[in-house]
Amino acid sequence: MDFKRITLLSGHYGSGKTNIAVNLALQLRKSREKVAIADVDIVNPYFRSKDSQAELERAGVRLICSEFASSNVDLPALPQDVYAITDDPGLTAVIDVGGDDRGALALGRWRDAILAEDNYEMLLVVNRFRPLTRDASSTLEVLREIEAACRMPFTAVVNNSNLGEETTAETVLASQEYAREVCRLSGLPLKMTTVPEQLYPGLKGQIEDLFPLKLQEKIV
């Protein structure tokens, strides 16, 4: 599956966008020379890409995030090198935008440059098992709130419906109708369906554009 130079991931809290961002950056690094992951989630610090810093560094993926990420300090500040996202056209960037409309506000500083270059995708990460996105109509409300906050349109949907460690192949298969309905209501295509890496062999061939995920561990 093909990806643009910049991939933005957003969705409601708990949708799993940070874990997808880490996995996607690692996957892209296998075929691209310069890859960065930028964590611009300045609202919710609980599950941060910095938790995977060692693995990202080993793979040669540049991590751009607040120096206070994964600490007891949560300040709405981002490092200066975050501007490499738009200033370096040779850099492939995966951006964890943050949860719902408040997190999306941080995207405003690059919006005009990203739109002008027009080499981006903005992916809505959805999980039907989260309280506020259990059905397609509720999920569409979240989509509209985020688009209004960042003033950028989503371009595709990522179905990340899961029950954490209790996820089974049946869990993923049962979420397909929900994902199709989200796409129908929004008019967006389904970019991919994610699945825990241990379930990938059994589901490969049953679901198109399946993307295996290694679970990111939380540093405590």
Side-chain angles (χ1 to χ4, degrees):
M1 125 189 19
D2 190 36
F3 287 87
K4 301 290 184 70
R5 186 181 79 78
I6 296 175
T7 301
L8 304 113
L9 296 159
S10 190
H12 204 273
Y13 298 132
S15 61
K17 57 194 175 296
T18 298
N19 193 49
I20 295 172
V22 170
N23 279 266
L24 180 56
L26 292 169
Q27 181 64 32
L28 289 171
R29 180 63 183 87
K30 295 177 181 178
S31 59
R32 304 191 188 187
E33 182 178 357
K34 295 169 61 178
V35 176
I37 178 171
D39 189 340
V40 300
D41 188 347
I42 60 175
V43 175
N44 183 7
Y46 176 70
F47 200 44
R48 285 269 168 92
S49 53
K50 189 174 177 65
D51 295 339
S52 296
Q53 183 171 9
E55 183 178 6
L56 292 166
E57 289 179 348
R58 286 194 300 269
V61 175
R62 178 179 176 183
L63 174 61
I64 301 173
C65 68
S66 168
E67 62 180 302
F68 299 107
S70 296
S71 71
N72 291 325
V73 180
D74 186 41
L75 298 178
L78 293 169
Q80 186 65 28
D81 66 342
V82 75
Y83 290 99
I85 294 169
T86 52
D87 293 346
D88 183 356
L91 180 69
T92 294
V94 178
I95 306 175
D96 180 1
V97 175
D100 64 38
D101 57 332
R102 290 177 296 167
L105 288 171
L107 188 58
R109 67 188 70 190
W110 313 284
R111 182 184 67 88
D112 290 344
I114 291 174
L115 290 174
E117 182 185 4
D118 194 23
N119 191 8
Y120 80 98
E121 291 180 284
M122 184 160 164
L123 306 180
L124 176 70
V125 179
V126 300
N127 182 351
R128 68 168 292 200
F129 300 107
R130 298 299 298 171
L132 297 181
T133 54
R134 292 192 185 278
D135 56 67
S137 59
S138 298
T139 304
L140 194 66
E141 291 180 15
V142 171
L143 179 153
R144 300 306 182 207
E145 289 173 357
I146 295 173
E147 286 186 331
C150 67
R151 294 182 296 153
M152 288 181 65
F154 281 102
T155 61
V157 174
V158 174
N159 180 17
N160 188 50
S161 297
N162 69 89
L163 292 169
E165 295 181 356
E166 298 179 6
T167 303
T168 64
E170 289 70 28
T171 303
V172 181
L173 289 168
S175 72
Q176 295 303 291
E177 181 57 36
Y178 159 81
R180 285 191 290 268
E181 182 66 4
V182 171
C183 290
R184 187 188 70 80
L185 291 178
S186 66
L188 299 174
L190 182 64
K191 178 71 176 183
M192 62 186 183
T193 297
T194 62
V195 62
E197 58 182 355
Q198 68 272 18
L199 299 178
Y200 179 78
L203 287 172
K204 186 178 181 181
Q206 297 188 60
I207 300 174
E208 292 185 3
D209 298 318
L210 199 61
F211 188 85
L213 292 179
K214 176 182 177 182
L215 182 62
Q216 181 193 21
E217 295 183 3
K218 179 74 179 74
I219 293 178
V220 294

